[in-house]
Amino acid sequence: MTQSFQKLRALTGMKDILPDTSWQWEQLEETVRQWLASYGYRNMRTPVLEHTQLFSRGIGEVTDIVEKEMYSFTDSLNGDLLTMRPEFTAGMVRASIEHNLLYDRPHRVYAMGPVFRHERPQRGRYRQFHQIDVEALGLPGPDVDAELIIMLNRLWKILGLKDIRLEINSLGQAEERAAHREALIRYLEEHKSILDEEAQRRMYSNPLRVLDTKNPAMQEMANNAPKLFDYLGEESLAHYQGVCKRLDDAGIAYTLNPRLVRGLDYYNLTVFEWITDRLGAQGTVCGGGRYDGLIPLLGGKPAPAVGFAIGMERLLDLCEQEANQTEQSECDVYMVHQGDDAQRQASLLAEQLRDVGLRVIVHAGSSGFKSQFKRADASGAYVAVILGENELTTRTASVKWLRLEEDEAQQQSVAFDQLATVLTTKV
Ligand code: ATP
Ligand code: MG
């Protein structure tokens, strides 16, 4: 007797990427790799699981991520406190310190893959999502800060994206933030009645983050709060202007958003976001900035660093809206056959076709010609190669072109040893 079990489902906010859309991911990943290589960035892969402490220290205790979004658990086998990475930077920096990458020369590195945050799922916001993470380690800027932004501008062009705008700000240095912080806390105390519960809790521990609020009732208060930008000293301003000059050189438009503070604690000087109105409420496609303080905070010899992360789901959503994409076929050639001998011959010929770079599916199982042709058509192949008894005797395949104009010859016979040549000339 067969027992029936209840169907299992994926976790809320965690999506399966099926074959009909995965080609878009692969195409994007390939484009991204080439784009990054053209600026000298090399791939780095760090574990998905890290010690929880890495993120609580590296991201900051009083942040959305660490306070309420991390997937953390105790490893029941040894009691270790572990967390699924909610972002890449902390792990990338940990690895760079651990393997002494930062001692010889600067490094331009990137990673791509899943990250995990326990958020309320909605369009553009998932619990497992994917980031392209790019870090320039060991370079003080402002040249490299600008280069990262110029680089991103190039990616949008490569992908054919429009309507994506750049906002930048400077968070200055620790002393400047301290002076601003005092003024800001005073201001928040004066407006305590307007602050929501979260803001009241954060106003002393992380007052800057209070300004990052999405609460509509607090917008006006946040808009009129003392601006960190007004507390910047000469050096920080020069750094900021150094970035702006280079963006002007490159013809890249930007707006200064003095309220842009970014979700993570470790940023200083340059911060930026690329935003679009085409994705509804979750319009930030990319966020980044300088984080000179993080490397010593994680136990490394002090070194400057700057980077950004792109949300891949949001980027793909935009690509789908704005660029022409042609769906990818399963294969170029579909091989149809009848009889055991024909199947074996088909699989030999298929290997030869793969040798010349064709993507080939050999029909599996035994079914009638008619249903095999249906499969061939559905696969998106541009040609079907047919092998039956006659074809085996004459060592000639029947070739049927599936995507030609009506008036072109749809069918021809091709000797086995000519097959690769004939098929490749028509791709
Ligand atoms: P938000 O303000 O939207 O929560 P964030 O500041 O938390 O963004 P970052 O930590 O800077 O986001 O992550 C970089 C990018 O990753 C974002 O700009 C966005 O494109 C993407 N991203 C962040 N959270 C999610 C999520 N839950 N689902 C999908 N993409 C996300
Ligand atoms: Mg967030």
Side-chain angles (χ1 to χ4, degrees):
M1 211 177 78
T2 52
Q3 204 182 344
S4 68
F5 294 97
Q6 202 186 355
K7 248 194 269 175
L8 297 176
R9 293 179 172 279
L11 297 178
T12 306
M14 305 206 177
K15 284 214 210 178
D16 296 310
I17 299 165
L18 301 175
D20 275 351
T21 46
S22 64
W23 63 272
Q24 295 173 336
W25 285 82
E26 290 185 320
Q27 217 170 54
L28 176 65
E29 285 158 6
E30 187 49 40
T31 304
V32 163
R33 287 200 177 91
Q34 281 177 18
W35 159 69
L36 287 166
S38 78
Y39 286 85
Y41 283 77
R42 296 184 302 156
N43 186 222
M44 196 156 128
R45 302 175 189 222
T46 60
V48 171
L49 268 186
E50 298 268 6
H51 288 292
T52 299
Q53 205 194 1
L54 172 67
F55 301 113
S56 48
R57 200 172 348 142
I59 296 175
E61 293 281 0
V62 194
T63 55
D64 278 350
I65 294 182
V66 174
E67 275 188 344
K68 54 187 185 196
E69 295 176 357
M70 293 206 303
Y71 281 92
S72 299
F73 58 92
T74 307
D75 183 339
S76 62
L77 298 176
N78 61 8
D80 284 352
L81 261 183
L82 306 178
T83 294
M84 313 271 288
R85 66 178 174 218
E87 53 107 44
F88 276 96
T89 307
M92 299 281 271
V93 167
R94 189 235 357 106
S96 304
I97 296 169
E98 187 169 336
H99 303 286
N100 295 320
L101 286 195
L102 290 164
Y103 284 83
D104 56 347
R105 60 189 164 94
H107 283 275
R108 291 173 161 86
V109 292
Y110 76 90
M112 245 190 287
V115 292
F116 303 83
R117 296 184 194 176
H118 196 107
E119 301 196 74
R120 194 168 66 79
Q122 53 195 290
R123 179 180 178 191
R125 201 175 279 293
Y126 310 100
R127 291 182 176 173
Q128 172 174 326
F129 62 102
H130 298 75
Q131 286 187 339
I132 300 159
D133 181 83
V134 176
E135 316 284 358
L137 305 170
L139 300 164
D143 50 358
V144 72
D145 309 31
E147 188 186 82
L148 287 177
I149 295 173
I150 291 167
M151 214 168 122
L152 283 159
N153 192 58
R154 176 182 288 274
L155 180 63
W156 314 146
K157 268 200 202 141
I158 294 172
L159 295 173
L161 305 184
K162 299 175 292 271
D163 293 336
I164 176 161
R165 63 177 188 278
L166 173 63
E167 292 188 355
I168 58 176
N169 190 18
S170 175
L171 300 183
Q173 302 291 17
E175 320 78 64
E176 293 152 1
R177 278 205 299 277
H180 168 256
R181 186 190 154 100
E182 246 175 70
L184 180 57
I185 291 178
R186 233 175 297 130
Y187 175 86
L188 292 174
E189 282 171 341
E190 284 162 22
H191 295 78
K192 202 161 177 181
S193 57
I194 303 173
L195 303 186
D196 60 21
E197 206 181 306
E198 185 176 73
Q200 296 213 12
R201 193 160 38 79
R202 283 178 173 177
M203 64 182 284
Y204 296 105
S205 53
N206 196 350
L208 207 51
R209 286 282 290 139
V210 174
L211 302 184
D212 203 17
T213 177
K214 291 185 175 107
N215 183 346
M218 287 166 54
Q219 294 308 311
E220 201 189 313
M221 179 281 301
N223 276 330
N224 297 325
K227 292 179 177 44
L228 175 52
F229 199 85
D230 296 333
Y231 287 76
L232 298 189
E234 235 171 81
E235 268 184 44
S236 294
L237 276 176
H239 190 106
Y240 173 76
Q241 280 148 6
V243 175
C244 294
K245 266 189 285 187
R246 287 167 177 83
L247 297 184
D248 293 337
D249 290 345
I252 295 175
Y254 52 87
T255 47
L256 166 64
N257 174 0
R259 276 184 56 188
L260 181 66
V261 298
R262 310 267 315 118
L264 314 178
D265 255 2
Y266 49 60
Y267 288 102
N268 68 318
L269 294 171
T270 316
V271 287
F272 60 88
E273 281 187 352
W274 289 88
I275 303 160
T276 177
D277 295 322
R278 296 202 176 199
L279 295 178
Q282 317 306 332
T284 307
V285 177
C286 169
R290 177 159 286 286
Y291 53 93
D292 296 337
L294 183 61
I295 294 169
L297 188 68
L298 295 179
K301 194 178 90 181
V306 59
F308 61 76
I310 301 173
M312 293 181 80
E313 280 78 2
R314 294 184 195 178
L315 185 59
L316 278 168
D317 194 346
L318 256 192
C319 288
E320 235 174 285
Q321 286 181 45
E322 303 201 22
N324 292 325
Q325 294 189 317
T326 42
E327 196 175 330
Q328 224 186 21
S329 55
E330 292 170 21
C331 61
D332 303 314
V333 183
Y334 197 97
M335 305 204 64
V336 168
H337 49 80
Q338 199 82 99
D340 205 41
D341 291 342
Q343 191 283 329
R344 289 166 60 195
Q345 182 64 60
S347 98
L348 286 179
L349 285 172
E351 288 301 323
Q352 291 173 16
L353 299 180
R354 294 181 187 117
D355 284 343
V356 297
L358 293 168
R359 299 172 303 140
V360 188
I361 290 182
V362 180
H363 184 84
S366 55
S367 32
F369 273 129
K370 203 170 156 204
S371 79
Q372 292 196 43
F373 276 118
K374 262 195 198 153
R375 288 277 188 86
D377 203 44
S379 74
Y382 70 89
V383 63
V385 171
I386 303 130
L387 298 182
E389 247 172 71
N390 286 343
E391 283 82 0
L392 288 191
T393 327
T394 58
R395 298 193 59 76
T396 308
S398 299
V399 168
K400 186 173 178 198
W401 302 98
L402 301 172
R403 325 264 157 209
L404 296 184
E405 301 292 331
E406 295 261 318
D407 55 347
E408 291 175 271
Q410 310 284 322
Q411 207 140 352
Q412 68 186 104
S413 292
V414 181
F416 286 173
D417 56 8
Q418 291 300 308
L419 197 57
T421 317
V422 172
L423 295 193
T424 43
T425 51
K426 290 258 193 167
V427 183

